[in-house]
Amino acid sequence: MAADDLARFRTLCGHYRWLAVFMVVSVGALLALMYFVAPAILAARGDFRGTTTSWLGAVVWGAPSLFYLYAVWSLGQAMGRLAKGDLIQPTLARALRRVGLALGIGGVLSVFGVTNLTRIIQSGEGGWLHFDVSGMTLGMIGGALFLLGRVLDQATAVQAELDEMI
């Protein structure tokens, strides 16, 4: 890779890192406002019309978002490391594992956990499975990314072993 291309790549990685930080902070702040700050203000003023059970159910429905935001944060961290000049292969392997795990947990939670936790909170109402195609897709992609991260780790180990032989 030419020096100009490498410098451009690092610059773009740095921009992506700040985009990821902006997204996580802004969306995280909106989620905190929606699920915690606004209900607390309404409860303090005596205007909260819901119940603790309905609020807890809403928090459970928003829980997968935390894992998705962690995946974006992990990508931002990896891009920041690449922008600073870290090696691509170990940075990419670590990022793939973290992003894959976060997307996988978020997807599984979205499809199975949300509905069943809501059933527990609301005393048996609701189904056993939430047919959420996006959650299923993110869960599958997350699993594949996690496995690819492990493959890259093994490739790095094999490469190091081969380098020692030479």
Side-chain angles (χ1 to χ4, degrees):
M1 186 179 272
D4 289 342
D5 291 337
L6 184 59
R8 191 174 313 120
F9 173 72
R10 287 186 177 161
T11 301
L12 289 174
C13 287
H15 292 314
Y16 188 88
R17 177 188 181 273
W18 286 112
L19 179 64
V21 168
F22 173 75
M23 181 183 167
V24 169
V25 169
S26 61
V27 173
L30 287 172
L31 288 173
L33 179 67
M34 188 168 61
Y35 292 117
F36 298 106
V37 176
I41 291 172
L42 289 173
R45 289 183 3 190
D47 292 337
F48 186 70
R49 290 187 168 70
T51 63
T52 304
T53 304
S54 67
W55 170 76
L56 195 54
V59 170
V60 166
W61 276 98
S65 302
L66 297 176
F67 291 99
Y68 301 147
L69 285 177
Y70 178 74
V72 173
W73 182 262
S74 296
L75 279 175
Q77 279 186 324
M79 292 298 141
R81 289 180 184 273
L82 292 175
K84 291 178 183 174
D86 284 6
L87 295 175
I88 290 176
Q89 193 167 357
T91 303
L92 182 61
R94 186 179 319 112
L96 285 174
R97 284 193 321 272
R98 287 183 179 175
V99 170
L101 195 59
L103 291 179
I105 291 172
V108 168
L109 184 62
S110 175
V111 174
F112 297 107
V114 167
T115 55
N116 289 312
L117 288 173
T118 304
R119 283 172 44 85
I120 292 169
I121 292 168
Q122 297 176 349
S123 303
E125 297 176 17
W128 295 97
L129 170 74
H130 178 58
F131 189 73
D132 178 20
V133 176
S134 60
M136 291 176 187
T137 304
L138 286 172
M140 291 298 294
I141 290 171
L145 290 176
F146 181 79
L147 291 175
L148 287 173
R150 291 187 62 201
V151 167
L152 275 177
D153 279 337
Q154 291 173 353
T156 302
V158 168
Q159 181 70 37
E161 191 174 317
L162 290 173
D163 288 344
E164 288 178 8
M165 289 181 190
I166 294 178

